[in-house]
Structures are given as C-alpha cells and as structure tokens.
Amino acid sequence: MRLSCLMLLAVVCAGALAQEAKKDPYLDAAASAAQVQALQGRTDPVVRKAVADAMAAEVPPPPLLQSVPEFSSAKSDVMTAAFIEAKVPDCLHSEGLKRQPTFFLMGYLALPFIPIAALRGKCN
C-alpha cells in the first residue's frame, strides 16, 4: 500500500516538473538560412577585418602530446620515494611495526604490538 502511494506521488511530481519546463522563445529560436544571409550582409567590413586580424594574431595552444613534462627526473625520484614511504606495510613482515612505537621492546617482546598496530591501522 505504501509502495503504491509512493509510486503515485513520484508520477504526479514528475508530471508537475514536466509542465513547469517552459521554453524561452528568445533563447530557443532557430535562425533560418535566409535570416543568416541577411545578417551577414549587414556586417561592417572594418569589423570583419578586425575580427579576422585578431583571430590570426591569436597563438594556437600547443598539442597535448608535445607539452613540456611537469616532473623532472629529480622530482620524479622524490615522488617515487614519497609514495614508497607512504605505503602501509604488511603487519607480518620486517617493516610491519615501523609506524607503531614498541618503546624499548625488541624482537619477540614486540610481538604483542602487532595486533595493536593492525587495530590502529598502522599496518595491514
């Protein structure tokens, strides 16, 4: 029962929105070929020449494939090192506790810190 009421309400709202979408006669008007020809004959030759000169003086943008690279090799090396450092380590490997403080405990005494690091999201 509720589902049918919701569907009926959705259909009524959609119909109301469709009726509200009115067309603007100024913006939606299409010019015929005769009107375009009539307007082209009314333009000033000085304006036409100024527009052509401005378009000729405008420098075209460089093609995308031949653009200057954003990163040099030094910047690329720095970014690569930063991404490697930011990667979350595996808990059961040698780098697993690099972000989890184990205080002064090392070796087997640091084993209880592995589940703590996993719960805190410091390793996977």
Side-chain angles (χ1 to χ4, degrees):
M1 177 68 178
R2 289 183 183 177
L3 181 61
S4 61
C5 289
L6 287 175
M7 291 177 61
L8 180 62
L9 182 63
V11 170
V12 170
C13 289
L17 290 175
Q19 290 177 355
E20 289 178 8
K22 296 178 181 175
K23 294 185 177 180
D24 186 6
Y26 180 74
L27 295 176
D28 295 337
S32 66
Q35 291 173 336
V36 171
Q37 290 294 332
L39 288 175
Q40 284 179 347
R42 298 170 89 186
T43 57
D44 192 12
V46 175
V47 172
R48 208 179 305 149
K49 183 179 183 312
V51 169
D53 291 342
M55 289 178 66
E58 192 173 305
V59 178
L64 293 177
L65 297 176
Q66 297 176 357
S67 63
V68 178
E70 294 293 326
F71 296 109
S72 64
S73 63
K75 289 182 182 178
S76 176
D77 295 340
V78 170
M79 289 293 289
T80 303
F83 275 106
I84 290 171
E85 178 64 27
K87 186 175 132 185
V88 178
D90 187 22
C91 289
L92 299 177
H93 286 84
S94 63
E95 296 289 317
L97 294 175
K98 74 178 185 179
R99 291 192 178 96
Q100 172 67 35
T102 57
F103 306 107
F104 59 88
L105 303 174
M106 302 291 229
Y108 290 117
L109 295 176
L111 284 177
F113 289 99
I114 292 175
I116 294 170
L119 288 174
R120 292 179 65 200
K122 302 292 184 176
C123 63
N124 289 331

